[in-house]
């Protein structure tokens, strides 16, 4: 802090004694000095919280020190002049104020433009000139408002203030400095009120946040997650709105802008956090509404508007954030559009809640009651900034009311939602039990089916074994049938040969002895066993072809025994020659008998092997 000791001024008497001018000139000089001293209008600090100084004097700074500015009478201060950055980068402001009170009182003074201003005031306690800096680039002293600089105004005494104004920002026009003085007691009272409101709001939000955080870890429900996001955004927004980020830590300045009224403004980390918090709040509210009312299914059109409205706001905020932090200051020109778009989203959320209530969606009634009050306060904040002022120092309780009511009312909605979820869980538990019983029944049915399949497989294996045995038996019977048939054929051939020999013998020896004829007769006597051979053949045939003769007689009852025997031979595909040998007839007779048989049976005659 810069300090200067007060210089002792020479008395008027010493000044007169040293002058050699005529008395008349001395008299004029003595009369002119008070006029020069009091040429600048004195600003009386009335009993008001804030006063704007209308009278000041301006001096172009050409590297002057405070001592020279204060004591050099040749330096010309121009009353109520404008700052011209194209002419100089630093100016000296001289302000004379008088405190009408009987006691000393501290005041805060701010000067616009406020890049980096330095206030010099006289301290009666230390009898020194002390300095204090304020402005955008002033060192962070843990103050909520960087522009404020403090001085003490003596009671019933004029107080002269010298302020060095930095105008190095490339302004292209003359600017009237704006000097505002406020009682420090008023500032401290306002800061204390803001601090109490901020602590109360954060305490409520933090308690609700912890409670719902525990609930979220237990249920993992996305509705509670969106509610937590809204609370995080609310805590950040309240902290920035009350300008406590500048108290907690330095907020770097990204870009600077000059408003049409000559006020210098800037975009710093606090502005960035403010827009981020607003996006978190809108994101949480939109997603909470969509999830709570299931708008993607119940209200698809409003869900589309909410979703893409949020995307639009997020994209616009990101683009403007990049421009304001990296390129050029646009905050004062785009904040109106930000608030209008936020108004639109809040309005759509309220309308969605009303439509959900009208359509009697599940838990829509408590959600509407929980939404209408905090969203009304949020609407009031946006309307205030759109139509009244963007100044954070005004309307300070609206964010607190919005955030606290949001935390309280949405907790009620979450309780209603929790009850609905519990009912749904009970229904789902009942359905789960029913599904469990059904699955158990299906499992038992599956086991029964497996047992039946095992039984079927066992039966199949048994039948397979049985069929294999039957197949083996069939093959044996077929071999026996073939053997019997072959035997009968050979026997009949033998009989045919014997008959032929008998005929030849009779023809050759008509007078054969009686003994020889008896031998031949004995051989021919064996022909009577032909019927027994047929019976044996029939037994083997029926073993291979069960119920063949019964079915044949049932279908063709007019068939004779000889025709049945002939058809059996045809069925096993014996040749005409073999059948002729078995029946002791010639093959031509077999063919004729076959034709007559199939004609009698009224069936087509198949080919028979020769």
């Amino acid at each position: 802090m810069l300090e200067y000791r007060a210089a002792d001024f020479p008395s008027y008497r010493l000044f007169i004694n040293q002058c050699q001018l005529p008395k008349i000139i001395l008299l004029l000089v003595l009369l002119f000095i008070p006029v020069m001293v009091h040429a600048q209008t004195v600003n009386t600090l009335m009993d008001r919280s804030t006063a704007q100084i209308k009278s000041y004097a301006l001096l172009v700074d050409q590297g002057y020190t405070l001592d020279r500015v204060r004591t050099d009478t040749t330096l010309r201060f121009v009353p109520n002049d404008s700052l011209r950055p194209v002419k100089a980068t630093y100016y000296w402001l001289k302000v004379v104020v008088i405190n009408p009170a009987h006691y000393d009182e501290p005041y805060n003074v701010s000067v616009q433009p406020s890049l980096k201003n330095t206030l010099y005031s006289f301290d009666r306690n230390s009898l020194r000139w002390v300095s204090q800096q304020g402005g955008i680039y002033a060192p962070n002293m843990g103050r909520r408002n960087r522009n404020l600089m403090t001085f003490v105004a003596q009671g019933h005494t004029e107080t002269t203030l010298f302020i060095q104004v930095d105008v190095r920002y490339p302004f292209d026009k003359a600017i009237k400095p704006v000097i505002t003085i406020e009682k420090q007691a008023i500032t401290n009272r306002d800061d204390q009120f803001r601090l109490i409101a901020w602590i109360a709001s954060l305490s409520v939000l933090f308690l609700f946040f912890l409670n719902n955080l525990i609930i979220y870890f237990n249920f993992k429900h996305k509705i509670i997650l969106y509610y937590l996001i809204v609370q995080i955004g609310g805590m950040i927004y309240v902290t920035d709105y009350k300008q406590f980020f500048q108290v907690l830590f330095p907020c770097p300045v990204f870009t600077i802008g000059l408003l049409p009224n000559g006020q210098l403004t800037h975009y710093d980390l606090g502005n960035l956090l403010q827009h981020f918090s607003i996006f978190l709040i809108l994101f949480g509210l939109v997603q909470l509404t969509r999830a709570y009312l299931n708008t993607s299914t119940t209200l698809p059109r409003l869900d589309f508007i909410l979703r893409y409205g949020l995307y639009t706001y997020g994209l616009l905020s990101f683009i403007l954030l990049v421009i304001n932090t990296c390129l050029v200051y646009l905050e004062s020109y785009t904040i109106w559009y930000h608030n209008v778009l936020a108004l639109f989203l809040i309005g759509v959320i309220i309308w969605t809640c009303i439509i959900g209530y009208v359509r009697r969606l599940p838990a829509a009634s408590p959600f509407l009651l929980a939404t209408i009050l905090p969203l009304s306060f949020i609407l009031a904040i946006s309307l205030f900034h759109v139509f009244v002022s963007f100044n954070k120092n005004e309307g300070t309780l609206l964010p607190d009311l919005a955030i606290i009511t949001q935390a309280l009312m949405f907790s009620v909605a979450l309780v209603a939602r929790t009850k609905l979820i519990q009912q749904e869980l009970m229904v789902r538990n009942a359905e789960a039990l029913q599904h469990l019983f059904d699955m158990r029944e299906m499992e038992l049915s599956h086991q029964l089916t497996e047992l039946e399949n095992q039984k079927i497989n066992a039966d199949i294996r048994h039948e397979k074994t049985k069929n294999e045995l039957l197949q083996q038996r069939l093959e044996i019977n077929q071999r026996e049938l073939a053997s019997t048939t072959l035997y009968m054929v050979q026997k009949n051939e033998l009989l045919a040969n014997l008959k032929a020999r008998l005929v030849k013998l009779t023809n050759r020896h008509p007078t054969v002895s009686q003994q020889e004829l008896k031998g031949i007769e004995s051989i021919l006597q064996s022909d009577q066993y032909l019927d027994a051979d047929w019976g044996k053949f029939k037994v083997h045939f029926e073993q291979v072809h069960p119920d063949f003769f019964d079915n044949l007689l049932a279908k063709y009852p007019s068939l004779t025994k000889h025709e049945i025997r002939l058809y059996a031979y045809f069925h096993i595909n014996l040749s005409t020659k073999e059948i002729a040998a078995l029946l002791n007839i010639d093959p031509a007779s077999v063919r004729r008998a076959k034709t007559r048989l199939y004609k009698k049976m009224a069936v087509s005659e198949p080919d028979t092997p020769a």
Side-chain angles (χ1 to χ4, degrees):
M1 182 177 293
L2 300 177
E3 298 181 354
Y4 299 90
R5 293 189 176 275
D8 295 331
F9 293 96
S11 64
Y12 288 141
R13 181 175 297 177
L14 181 60
F15 177 76
I16 294 173
N17 292 334
Q18 292 177 352
C19 292
Q20 303 298 325
L21 297 176
K23 291 183 178 181
I24 185 67
I25 297 176
L26 290 175
L27 180 61
L28 292 175
V29 171
L30 291 175
L31 292 174
F32 185 70
I33 288 176
V35 174
M36 292 182 60
V37 172
H38 297 285
Q40 180 178 341
T41 304
V42 177
N43 298 277
T44 302
L45 301 177
M46 305 302 293
D47 191 15
R48 291 179 295 179
S49 60
T50 303
Q52 187 168 340
I53 302 301
K54 300 296 184 181
S55 178
Y56 59 89
L58 194 63
L59 172 67
V60 176
D61 186 10
Q62 297 181 359
Y64 303 136
T65 63
L66 175 63
D67 286 335
R68 184 175 178 183
V69 171
R70 186 170 51 83
T71 59
D72 191 347
T73 58
T74 62
L75 298 179
R76 181 173 175 270
F77 279 88
V78 181
N80 301 328
D81 196 8
S82 297
L83 301 171
R84 295 175 176 82
V86 295
K87 182 178 179 181
T89 56
Y90 288 93
Y91 282 84
W92 284 94
L93 277 175
K94 181 181 180 182
V95 180
V96 181
V97 297
I98 184 170
N99 180 13
H102 296 282
Y103 50 86
D104 297 350
E105 191 168 5
Y107 284 85
N108 290 326
V109 60
S110 63
V111 179
Q112 286 287 350
S114 57
L115 280 175
K116 188 177 182 182
N117 301 326
T118 305
L119 168 67
Y120 297 93
S121 61
F122 186 74
D123 184 10
R124 287 183 59 187
N125 295 327
S126 61
L127 298 178
R128 297 176 181 178
W129 285 85
V130 295
S131 66
Q132 186 178 1
Q133 291 184 336
I136 297 173
Y137 293 115
N140 184 25
M141 305 297 293
R143 295 171 297 181
R144 189 178 57 83
N145 191 343
R146 296 183 183 183
N147 298 333
L148 297 182
M149 299 172 288
T150 304
F151 70 95
V152 177
Q154 301 176 16
H156 277 295
T157 306
E158 293 182 1
T159 301
T160 302
L161 305 175
F162 293 95
I163 305 172
Q164 188 181 36
V165 182
D166 185 352
V167 289
R168 285 176 294 176
Y169 187 81
F171 307 126
D172 57 355
K173 61 180 180 179
I175 305 170
K176 279 283 187 181
V178 179
I179 307 169
T180 305
I181 294 181
E182 182 181 51
K183 288 184 178 181
Q184 193 179 58
I186 302 298
T187 305
N188 293 340
R189 186 177 64 187
D190 182 60
D191 288 345
Q192 186 177 10
F193 176 77
R194 286 171 176 266
L195 179 62
I196 293 174
W198 177 63
I199 293 175
S201 300
L202 282 189
S203 299
V204 173
L205 287 175
F206 189 70
L207 290 176
F208 276 97
F209 178 81
L210 288 180
N211 179 57
N212 289 283
L213 186 63
I214 296 173
I215 296 175
Y216 173 73
F217 283 135
N218 290 330
F219 290 96
K220 300 292 184 181
H221 202 283
K222 60 182 179 180
I223 291 180
I224 303 176
L225 175 62
Y226 296 141
Y227 177 68
L228 293 175
I229 292 175
V230 173
Q231 289 183 304
I232 293 173
M235 287 187 283
I236 298 175
Y237 182 79
V238 169
T239 303
D240 173 75
Y241 197 89
K242 297 187 180 302
Q243 299 176 312
F244 279 108
F245 279 127
Q246 299 183 19
V247 178
L248 298 175
F249 52 83
C251 291
V253 177
F254 301 113
T255 53
I256 299 175
L258 183 67
L259 300 181
N261 60 1
Q263 184 177 357
L264 196 66
T265 184
H266 62 281
Y267 192 94
D268 60 3
L269 182 61
N271 298 101
L272 189 149
L273 291 174
Q274 180 189 40
H275 287 292
F276 177 69
S277 65
I278 294 174
F279 176 75
L280 285 181
I281 293 173
L282 291 177
F283 174 81
L285 289 175
V286 169
Q287 296 298 95
L288 179 62
T289 303
R290 294 180 62 221
Y292 198 102
L293 299 178
N294 193 20
T295 55
S296 60
T297 303
T298 57
L299 303 170
R301 293 184 179 179
L302 289 174
D303 181 81
F304 177 85
I305 297 174
L306 285 172
R307 187 169 68 253
Y308 285 96
L310 180 63
Y311 294 161
T312 303
Y313 183 87
L315 180 61
L316 177 64
S317 298
F318 178 76
I319 293 174
L320 293 177
L321 182 146
V322 173
I323 294 175
N324 280 289
T325 54
C326 302
L327 300 176
V328 64
Y329 178 84
L330 293 178
E331 178 72 1
S332 298
Y333 306 99
T334 59
I335 192 69
W336 189 87
Y337 300 100
H338 261 107
N339 283 276
V340 169
L341 189 54
L343 275 173
F344 171 76
L345 282 176
I346 298 300
V348 175
I349 292 174
I350 294 177
W351 181 249
T352 303
C353 296
I354 295 174
I355 295 299
Y357 172 75
V358 172
R359 296 189 180 182
R360 300 183 182 278
L361 298 180
S365 178
F367 187 71
L368 176 62
L369 294 177
T371 304
I372 194 68
L373 187 59
L375 291 186
S376 298
F377 282 117
I378 296 176
L379 274 176
I381 296 172
S382 299
L383 290 172
F384 181 84
H385 289 319
V386 169
F387 297 105
V388 181
S389 173
F390 296 115
N391 191 352
K392 296 179 182 179
N393 294 318
E394 302 177 13
T396 55
L397 286 181
L398 287 177
D400 302 274
L401 294 175
I403 297 302
I404 292 176
T405 54
Q406 183 269 339
L408 293 174
M409 301 304 292
F410 272 90
S411 295
V412 176
L414 288 179
V415 170
R417 181 67 179 180
T418 303
K419 291 183 179 179
L420 181 62
I421 292 174
Q422 289 177 348
Q423 294 176 358
E424 293 178 354
L425 287 176
M426 293 176 62
V427 174
R428 291 182 180 179
N429 287 335
E431 293 177 353
L433 289 175
Q434 183 63 39
H435 288 319
L436 183 62
F437 292 149
D438 293 341
M439 290 178 63
R440 182 60 180 170
E441 183 179 358
M442 292 177 62
E443 184 179 354
L444 294 175
S445 176
H446 180 69
Q447 293 177 357
L448 180 61
T449 303
E450 287 184 349
L451 292 176
E452 291 178 352
N453 290 337
Q454 292 176 1
K455 182 178 180 302
I456 292 173
N457 290 331
D459 293 341
I460 291 174
R461 289 193 297 269
H462 177 71
E463 290 294 330
K464 184 178 180 181
T465 303
K466 184 178 179 181
N467 290 335
E468 290 176 353
L469 294 175
L470 291 175
Q471 183 66 28
Q472 293 176 1
R473 182 63 181 171
L474 178 62
E475 291 176 355
I476 293 172
N477 291 334
Q478 286 178 342
R479 287 195 295 270
E480 290 180 353
L481 178 62
S483 299
T484 303
T485 304
L486 180 61
Y487 169 75
M488 292 173 64
V489 170
Q490 292 175 351
K491 182 180 179 180
N492 288 333
E493 288 179 352
L494 177 61
L495 291 175
N497 290 331
L498 289 175
K499 285 182 179 181
R501 288 175 61 187
L502 181 60
V503 171
K504 289 180 180 181
L505 183 61
T506 303
N507 292 332
R508 291 179 182 178
H509 307 282
T511 59
V512 178
S513 63
Q514 191 68 25
Q515 185 178 359
E516 186 176 355
L517 290 174
K518 286 183 179 181
I520 295 172
E521 183 180 358
S522 177
I523 294 172
L524 294 176
Q525 185 68 27
S526 62
D527 185 53
Q528 64 182 343
Y529 296 105
L530 288 175
D531 291 337
D533 293 336
W534 163 248
K536 186 177 181 180
F537 172 83
K538 187 176 180 181
V539 170
H540 290 296
F541 186 89
E542 286 185 336
Q543 289 178 350
V544 178
H545 305 284
D547 301 328
F548 175 81
F549 296 105
D550 294 338
N551 294 334
L552 184 62
L553 287 174
K555 191 173 183 180
Y556 305 103
S558 61
L559 294 179
T560 64
K561 183 178 179 181
H562 179 73
E563 290 173 340
I564 292 173
R565 183 175 180 180
L566 183 63
Y567 188 78
Y569 292 151
F570 291 150
H571 186 73
I572 61 175
N573 293 325
L574 293 180
S575 64
T576 303
K577 185 178 180 181
E578 291 172 339
I579 296 174
L582 288 173
L583 298 178
N584 289 323
I585 58 177
D586 59 279
S589 299
V590 173
R591 285 192 289 270
R592 288 192 297 271
K594 180 180 180 182
T595 301
R596 288 193 300 270
L597 175 62
Y598 281 102
K599 185 176 181 180
K600 183 178 181 179
M601 295 173 66
V603 295
S604 59
E605 181 179 348
D607 294 334
T608 303

